[in-house]
Amino acid sequence: MLSQIIRAAGLGLAVNTKRPICLAKHIRPFATVDSNTPRVQPTPPRTKATPKSHDRATFTIRDGPVFSGKSFGAASNISGEAVFTTSLVGYPESLTDPSYRGQILVFTQPLIGNYGIPSTARDEHGLFRHFESPNLQAAGVVVADVAEQYSHWTAVKSLGEWCAEEGVPAVSGVDTRAIVTYLREQGSSLARITIGEEYDADQDEAFIDPEQIDLVRKVSTKAPFHVSSATGDYHVAVIDCGVKENILRSLVSRGASVTAFPYDYPIHKVAHHFDGVFISNGPGDPIHCQDTVYHLRRLMESSQLPIMGICLGHQLLALAAGARTIKLKYGNRAHNIPALDRTTGRCHITSQNHGYAVDSNTLPSEWKEYFVNLNDHSNEGLIHQSRPIFGTQFHPEAKGGPMDSSYLFDMYLENVSRYKKSQAIFQPEREHRPSPLLVDLLAKERVGVVPTTGMENLLRMGGAGEEAARAASAA
């Protein structure tokens, strides 16, 4: 195991597991519905900060309305998919969530930024205390009104200052009610933010469609990294599709040391060295992750390991099981969405951020629907009839709350504990904790993940931006 992971980490020959991907076969329908080594943090790559702009700003929906407002972020032009969230709080966590990569986030809450942006302080596990990743992930920010003056004991800067530092444009003074009404009626749409320029209809051809780009490749670690737990002896393999810091925290704080792997790593080849496998959240269309689906299918065929998936991880688990996914009309992004547990009849208020869902009608007979959305009746979870495998579309670890469903991590670790005890009968000599050498050699932070700007700023190239963005994603 150690040699395999070291090679994948770039300390030897790289593991090449590329398989041909045929997207033409996946035409999808639309639906309306003891080694606690201190973590030495590498310096993350930074975007090129731009001066904070207060120029005229234009938010343009492709083939739709144009909204004029004022810039309060970076002086840069971008394109992406316009989506909206009804969350009242938690904007620092939302904007650093890798699942928002390539998207322009519209807030329905009338005032955003009143409690500022906190510091990059880390907790006892070496994880960001207030953020879900090292950088701002959304391509752009749109609000009705922004608080230039903030007030909170954790705040160190304003929302506008943060956006400017991260190179992300932001617009205020627009009618977000009209924007959300349009998106609900027409569905999530391509849009662009233009700073300091008049709207030019001829530039509509320069819209970049994030769905055509493998966004998971951009947010996933490029080599394995490790986070140690001082409170337990479990060891879980995480497939990093854009994992949030609080998912890692939810595992480590419950006694599970974590080794995170790139999203396309052949996890079935090393899974027998772990007590469980976890598939993280991430951005974009799950169909782009065909390698991950193949490796998960091989894993379930060859191992009895406990498996849990969240958000994109849930969708990939379903695809590996033989089910299909669909694109929702405008998705679910909020902190107050009711999900019904079909096994108990109880309802949980959940945090969600997704534009795709599992088609529960396509689940094989050995699987059943676990949770269902009480707003649009879309699937919110699946569970195997006899094996310790389940996934949820919502986020039980949501840093901005609610925490109603956080017990699912306890349920997963109970599965891990039972599996570990059963293996001890057949492999009594098996090492209970990660190898100290492994812990020392592996990075302690996601590796090689670049900030959000760059791909989106290819829009500055004009009509060639979309073609260049596709070329960049294939590189």
Side-chain angles (χ1 to χ4, degrees), residues 85-155:
T85 176
T86 62
S87 304
L88 302 182
V89 296
Y91 56 85
E93 293 89 345
S94 293
L95 291 172
T96 54
D97 181 351
S99 296
Y100 278 117
R101 193 66 174 261
Q103 295 179 326
I104 300 173
L105 187 56
V106 180
F107 288 89
T108 62
Q109 169 71 357
L111 179 65
I112 295 293
N114 55 307
Y115 58 90
I117 299 299
S119 71
T120 56
R122 297 177 184 264
D123 63 13
E124 64 275 19
H125 309 297
L127 300 168
F128 287 104
R129 192 179 298 278
H130 306 293
F131 299 131
E132 295 290 11
S133 71
N135 295 100
L136 202 159
Q137 297 288 344
V141 181
V142 178
V143 302
D145 191 16
V146 64
E148 298 283 357
Q149 301 295 325
Y150 57 86
S151 178
H152 196 272
W153 66 273
T154 63

Side-chain angles (χ1 to χ4, degrees), residues 287-307:
I287 282 180
H288 286 296
C289 302
Q290 289 299 303
D291 283 342
T292 312
V293 172
Y294 170 77
H295 296 145
L296 285 174
R297 186 178 297 121
R298 291 286 305 276
L299 173 66
M300 290 190 288
E301 291 171 350
S302 60
S303 172
Q304 295 296 314
L305 272 172
I307 304 174

